[in-house]
Amino acid sequence: MARNRQLILSSPAEVWALLSDGRRYGEWVSGTQEVTAADAHWPDVGARLRVRVGVGPLVLDDTCVVRICEPQRRLELEAKADPFGAARIAMRLIPWGENTLFVLDWHPLRGPGIRMHGLPVDYVVRIRNGMMLTKLARIAVREHSDSTEATAQGTRSG
C-alpha cells in the first residue's frame, strides 16, 4: 500500500467541494488527460467517473466507482483500468484546526498490480500521489484565498 499525507490550508468543506465535483478530477489527479463522463449523483455510493489516463500515446480509459462516501470525511474509490486491474483509492479528510489533513491510501485490488505490489511499485505510486496531493492543495488554497478575499471585499463595500 502506498500512503501519502498532505496538510491543506483549507477547511474540510472546501476540500470536499473539490472532491465532490467529478468534472474537476482532471485538474488534480496526475495522469488524467480528460474526464469523459461523471454521473450526476457523484460522489454518492455507486456513482461512476470515466476518465482517460495516460502519457503521450499510451492512453487508457479508466472508470472510478464510489465504494464509500462520508461527506467531508471519507471517500473511497475503486479505479479500474483494464488490462491492469483495479485499485482501491481511499481518501480521508481530517480536520486540523481550520485546515485539513488529507490522507490518501492506494492499494491494488486485482490484476497484475497485485503481483507487482511492493516496495518499487509503492514508491513510484507514492511519488505520483504526492504530486497529485500537492496539486489538490494548491487548488484548494487558491480557491480558499479567492473566497476569503471576496468575503472581505463584500464586508468593506457593505
Side-chain angles (χ1 to χ4, degrees):
M1 173 175 24
R3 175 175 284 166
N4 294 75
R5 294 171 196 84
Q6 175 83 35
L7 182 64
I8 300 177
L9 303 178
S10 297
S11 71
E14 291 167 318
V15 175
W16 184 259
L18 289 169
L19 297 180
S20 62
D21 186 347
R23 291 280 178 192
R24 296 194 67 189
Y25 270 58
E27 293 178 40
W28 61 274
V29 176
S30 300
T32 301
Q33 292 183 349
E34 176 185 11
V35 175
T36 59
D39 287 352
H41 61 284
W42 181 270
D44 294 342
V45 172
R48 294 177 184 277
L49 185 68
R50 289 164 190 82
V51 296
R52 185 155 292 133
V53 297
V55 178
L58 302 173
V59 177
L60 293 170
D61 287 329
D62 188 2
T63 301
C64 293
V65 180
V66 177
R67 296 298 183 205
I68 298 172
C69 177
E70 297 174 14
Q72 298 186 33
R73 294 185 51 218
R74 182 175 167 203
L75 183 62
E76 291 198 18
L77 309 175
E78 181 178 338
K80 303 174 190 175
D82 291 326
F84 297 104
R88 172 185 163 265
I89 302 162
M91 296 169 266
R92 285 188 298 140
L93 289 73
I94 302 167
W96 200 261
E98 295 179 4
N99 303 310
T100 305
L101 179 60
F102 193 101
V103 179
L104 176 70
D105 290 326
W106 175 93
H107 194 280
L109 294 172
R110 59 186 170 276
I114 288 180
R115 288 186 298 279
M116 296 185 303
H117 187 55
L119 186 60
V121 171
D122 286 356
Y123 180 75
V124 170
V125 170
R126 202 171 295 126
I127 290 171
R128 173 196 178 258
N129 290 349
M131 294 185 316
M132 188 169 71
L133 291 184
T134 297
K135 284 196 254 181
L136 178 67
R138 284 184 186 144
I139 294 167
V141 167
R142 181 183 69 229
E143 292 183 7
H144 171 78
S145 297
D146 290 349
S147 68
T148 303
E149 186 175 306
T151 300
Q153 287 177 356
T155 303
R156 285 193 297 264
S157 63

